[in-house]
Amino acid sequence: MADEAYRKAKVGDQEVPYDPEQLRKIQEHPCYSDTACHTFGRCHLPVAPRCNIQCNYCVRDFDCVNESRPGVTSRVVKPGEAVDLVRKVIEEFPYVKVIGIAGPGEPLANPETFETLRLVHEAFPHLIMCISTNGLLLPEKIDELAKYDVGNVTVTLNAVDPAIGEKIYSFVDYHGTRYTGRKAAEVLLKNQLDGIRMAVERKMFVKVNTVYIPGVNDEHIVEIAKKAGEMGAFSFNLIPLIPQYKFAGITPPTPAEKKAMQDACAPYIKQMRHCARCRSDAIGRLGKDVQSCIYSGCSGEQKK
């Protein structure tokens, strides 16, 4: 295929051609393609227990086997175990093409994340490597991610105004200092935006996750989508609040309200409308998880 025949993406005010390998990172990634989610799967490796911020909606739990939401895993695995896990997954479920690290804490705040990325990339260089992050450490870790061919990065960006951000975060731990209030939101936002810009410059595909929190950031979400689109993010995933922790008393948005908000954001950036709010140890196709088979074993009929 000649360069001029490559599909292009709008990044800022420029059109950037995708090469075939980049296109594969969309076409085989169930979160980046609404058709791939029916055909291909992902394997989340729960190797990152520690977090460096506290969101007012977040509770990280273990052994919640019937609960499907971010931050939940049955157990944390070591990097060496993770490689064996990947080998087992792709042998038993060859439709799994994406290896992701999404917690249960903040992946970039855990050295185990990078050891796992190194080991998995060396053993299975054909697999798509993916990371989810709050973005606080993304600018300083971006080149290490690139080293291990991480081509898909999800950043949770809940505000682009620190006055709103300070309502969402209890604290931010950054380089040995704990920030609270407006300063915490400012430090986090600066690094999130810098990290997104740097990821786009390195031709990584960026998905922005935004938690829809009625009464907190709901009137601000379109501005987040605009900013994400302007910066060259690939897609935007609106996640309805799960009421817990300090936001336990907030009524989450209805499906109709979610759709209306997605429609309002759609002129500015591609919308992901098929999110399954995955666990940190999720394996399989979206909505058809098989991690219980991998961790505990199951029959051939169950695998089908």
Side-chain angles (χ1 to χ4, degrees):
M1 180 184 293
D3 284 354
E4 59 267 25
Y6 289 160
R7 287 171 54 186
K8 295 181 179 180
K10 190 76 172 179
V11 177
D13 59 353
Q14 297 181 330
E15 286 193 338
V16 178
Y18 291 165
D19 61 38
E21 178 59 18
Q22 286 179 292
L23 287 175
R24 186 176 74 88
K25 292 174 181 177
I26 299 173
Q27 295 167 343
E28 296 184 1
H29 197 308
C31 297
Y32 284 73
S33 168
D34 55 7
T35 56
C37 69
H38 302 295
T39 308
F40 299 106
R42 80 292 189 227
C43 172
H44 283 178
L45 302 175
V47 298
R50 295 171 294 281
C51 198
N52 49 10
I53 73 173
Q54 178 60 62
C55 304
N56 290 333
Y57 55 75
C58 184
V59 176
R60 292 178 291 279
D61 281 328
F62 299 85
D63 296 323
C64 300
V65 293
N66 296 315
E67 190 172 5
S68 182
R69 63 172 174 83
V72 171
T73 185
S74 293
R75 68 184 183 93
V76 172
V77 301
K78 302 293 186 183
E81 292 180 275
V83 177
D84 293 337
L85 179 64
V86 171
R87 182 173 290 107
K88 183 177 182 181
V89 167
I90 63 175
E91 286 176 354
E92 297 190 23
F93 303 98
Y95 61 81
V96 170
K97 303 295 184 182
V98 176
I99 303 303
I101 301 178
E106 162 53 32
L108 302 189
N110 290 262
E112 294 87 349
T113 293
F114 300 96
E115 177 64 4
T116 301
L117 290 173
R118 182 185 69 80
L119 293 172
V120 173
H121 180 57
E122 288 177 355
F124 311 101
H126 63 288
L127 294 176
I128 297 169
M129 306 297 287
C130 180
I131 206 87
S132 294
T133 176
N134 58 39
L136 181 64
L137 297 178
L138 188 54
E140 61 197 78
K141 300 294 186 180
I142 193 74
D143 287 329
E144 194 167 1
L145 295 178
K147 177 181 177 181
Y148 301 127
D149 198 28
V150 175
N152 299 69
V153 177
T154 294
V155 180
T156 299
L157 180 66
N158 293 319
V160 290
D161 179 350
I164 294 173
E166 69 177 319
K167 301 175 184 177
I168 299 173
Y169 307 105
S170 291
F171 63 77
V172 169
D173 288 338
Y174 183 58
H175 289 177
T177 299
R178 173 161 293 187
Y179 298 95
T180 58
R182 182 70 58 88
K183 184 63 177 178
E186 290 172 346
V187 169
L188 178 60
L189 177 60
K190 179 184 184 304
N191 287 7
Q192 288 172 326
L193 297 182
D194 286 348
I196 291 171
R197 173 183 54 78
M198 295 169 75
V200 171
E201 288 174 350
R202 286 156 178 77
K203 296 187 177 181
M204 297 175 177
F205 293 108
V206 176
K207 175 167 65 71
V208 168
N209 281 357
T210 295
V211 179
Y212 183 168
I213 313 169
V216 178
N217 71 347
D218 48 336
E219 295 184 0
H220 179 61
I221 287 174
V222 173
E223 293 303 314
I224 303 172
K226 285 182 181 179
K227 185 66 174 178
E230 290 169 357
M231 296 187 72
F234 178 80
S235 61
F236 186 81
N237 180 26
L238 187 64
I239 304 175
L241 173 75
I242 298 175
Q244 54 187 6
Y245 190 44
K246 292 185 178 181
F247 289 162
I250 295 179
T251 301
T254 65
E257 289 171 332
K258 176 187 174 183
K259 182 181 183 303
M261 187 67 76
Q262 289 173 319
D263 291 344
C265 294
Y268 307 104
I269 186 172
K270 173 183 172 65
Q271 298 296 297
M272 178 186 178
R273 297 179 186 261
H274 58 283
C275 178
R277 297 200 291 202
C278 300
R279 292 164 55 101
S280 302
D281 58 1
I283 301 171
R285 297 185 181 94
L286 298 191
K288 298 181 179 180
D289 290 334
V290 297
Q291 62 263 24
S292 60
C293 290
I294 293 296
Y295 286 101
S296 304
C298 60
S299 67
E301 188 62 30
Q302 286 174 307
K303 289 180 182 179
K304 293 179 183 178

